[in-house]
Amino acid sequence: MDLSRLGYAEINSSQFGPVHGPFMMEQLVCQREKMLTSKGLFMKSDPLQYAVPLLMIQMSVIIITSRIIFGVLKPLKQGMISAQVLAGVVLGPSFLGRNIAYLDTFLPPGGKVIIQTISNVGFIIHLFILGLKIDWTIIKKAGSKAILIGAASYAFPFSLGSLTVFFINSTIGLPKQVVHCAATVISLSSMTSFPVTTTVLEELNILNSELGRLATNCSIVCEACGCLVALAFNLYTRERTMNGVWGIVMISCLLGSIAGIFRPSIIWLTQRKSKSMDNKDVVPFYPILLILSIVSIASEVFGVHAAFGAFWLGVSLPDGPPLGTELATKLDMIASSMLLPCFIAISGLNTNFFEITESHENHVLMIEVILLVTYGCKFLGTAAASAYCKTPIGDALCLGFLMCCQGIIEVYTTLVWKDAQVVDTQCFNLMIITILIVTGISRFLVVYLYDPSKRYKSKSKRTIINTRERNLQLRLLLCIYNVENVPSMVNLLEATYPTRFNPISFFTLHLVELKGRAHAVLTPHHQMNKLDPNTAQSTHIVNAFQRFEQKYQSTLMAQHFTAAAPFSSINNDVCTLGLDKKATLIVLPFHKQYAIDGTVGRVNGPIRNINLNVLEAAPCSVALFIDRGECEGRRSVLMSNTWQNVAVLFIGGRDDAEALALCMRMAEKPELNVTMIHFRHKSSLQDEDYSAMDEYNLIKDFKSHAANKGKVHYVEEIVKDGVETTQVISSLGEAYDMVLVGRDHDLESSVLYGLTDWSECPELGVIGDMLTSPDFHFSVLVVHQQQGDADLAIDDSYKLPVEHQKVGDTRIQPRFSAEEGFTTIDLSKN
């Protein structure tokens, strides 16, 4: 090779030129020494001719371009993977790379080798993280429905696509390379990767929806089918020589070493370090990285990609905390956010649509037809199998689209095939562009067609007022984030005064943010994995409520659940459980936590989004609980009669009536002082025409209670505008432990004049937002009545007997016993 005829001057960090390879002409890149870092422009040194500055510029441009494209495509519900591939296409020879000067500067052969190497390291770590989040035991929990749909999703496209190729080849004849390419694209199009599916579901905020759980189970079955077919095909086509046998033996030894040596070693190191540092969340980070490197190198030695060993090492380790959570947190930022975009963009950089010559146009068209037929068969096969399993037609169509979505696993596969010359450039281009188009259309249609909230839209009344009027059992769903929420929730239960004649059913839901795990979980507490660290915290919460149950035996019935899901969609679990258990009221902690001096200690934005989403779509009434138990110094679960004074602020409206109905139940408790503060305008003193008969009856009943019970008080405050209303509320001081108020009021009421112009937390309403001020030291319960109450049917489920039992009768109500048939959310039926 004549260096004087190479494409770069001597000052460049690399030189390249064509050489004869074993099969075809290839490019040989010669990297010069001591050309890593630039001496600076003032020394007349071009930074782009040096490896490190060029690498930094390439990474920066790729990341910025992908972010810009992602922002443009976000209204179309496209994912980051698609944006990163398109960024590579834009920066590569298909668009900007048509300019030779730009291509030689931004993507010289030497620079391309370096960024490919660095990005492959990021991909190896990312695939390790994906494997770490997978719990392969869920395939055992997949029901017959998921097995049938998952198998059909792979079998239909693979078999019908192959028949299509056979028919075309028999009819018109196809060149050998076209048949080979068609067989390759069929195997790729039939794939549905479990990590890709869960990523798409999480991005679309439906991971823990009914469709999301079904798609998760179906995808892992489909991927298992693909692995079995690939293994069988590999064994059939492998050379019948000792080298082929040794290859299989070595890969089997690698997998055996991962399962028998590396996995136990990592678990032992984790347990040892946790005990030595007295912290269960500590993991041996550097030893795990060392083992990851050893496994990746061993994979390359045995003839497979380094990511193969990394992925299966991740799969072998326990998902979730502490390993999954801690490793994903530490590695995700560098690997997934910085290096992975470069790896994915390389697929676009390798794409060149202009290499499709006229002589290949007919073959390209034929391969594209086969691709589209295969994807069509995959969609129809999935939808047909879903319809056969009695899935609603809308959900069946959406599931078909979801199973057609592909991502990083398929992009990685096409890159490996191109590097191994399994597919040529034309076939590679078609596969990349088809993945982008099919996945993009499928994602958009799923968002358009599927509404997860339809699963938990109630057709019956689930309000406290209806419970009171129709003598129904009060059923509460208490949402808990940590043990700090428990004491005040217990106080709320105690204040509702459960008795043998008017018992209460309550359900606790421990909300856990999904970290280090790919699939969402919603399960009763007693079915949780004992080795899961989330189980320990849930157990503390359950134990606290069980102590309270022991105090009120025969008057309370409880069930405890745990939901682990992304906080962006965990509201689906809250609403689903509320509907399944026919809850009357869902109680959610407020997103602000207060310190012991009354000031705001911490603000949690994701929790606020959860509250907003539940308020919008809940199947029953909802209450936001502003907990100031820390300020009051009452945190013990075992303390009795913690709340002594409770007040309800009444202005007017459906929500205020709902709050008053709950307060009426509290007024039955003999030890509790209950006060109703009724705000009225001077002009309405002679007007008793309330907006609804419910309000009139509730106020009348409360006045009757106040006249007959010494600890129940009715106070009427006459105000003329919002200023005087604020003054009255400010005078409450520390006279009360708990204040109830409706979220929405009669906005035309003069008592709110001037208060509706601004609100920091609209989800609390005008008065509720005012009560978040650090000037107040009592807890607040902001109540919002179920939406659409007028159009809902009457449901008399859990109706209590009208006749009273005799004094001294210890029998429990027939509809409230230890044998009550609680329904459970069966997640394994999919």
Side-chain angles (χ1 to χ4, degrees), residues 130 192-201 405-410:
L130 287 182
T192 297
S193 173
F194 173 77
V196 171
T197 302
T198 54
T199 301
V200 171
L201 293 171
C405 291
Q406 296 183 323
I408 186 171
I409 301 298
E410 291 75 20

Side-chain angles (χ1 to χ4, degrees), residues 588-610:
L588 297 162
F590 189 48
H591 69 277
K592 294 182 180 179
Q593 293 185 358
Y594 290 84
I596 194 168
D597 59 353
T599 60
V600 177
R602 188 175 65 174
V603 178
N604 194 318
I607 292 180
R608 183 183 187 184
N609 292 331
I610 295 172

Side-chain angles (χ1 to χ4, degrees), residues 123-187:
F123 175 72
I124 292 169
I125 298 175
H126 179 75
L127 217 60
F128 169 70
I129 296 173
L130 287 182
L132 193 62
K133 293 180 179 180
I134 294 176
D135 179 11
W136 281 98
T137 60
I138 67 172
I139 197 170
K140 301 177 183 178
K141 305 174 185 177
S144 57
K145 181 178 180 180
I147 294 174
L148 176 62
I149 297 173
S153 182
Y154 185 84
F156 267 73
F158 188 80
S159 56
L160 295 180
S162 300
L163 288 175
T164 302
V165 174
F166 177 78
F167 174 77
I168 295 175
N169 191 29
S170 302
T171 304
I172 62 176
L174 293 174
K176 185 177 180 181
Q177 64 270 25
V178 176
V179 175
H180 175 73
C181 181
T184 305
V185 300
I186 287 172
S187 63

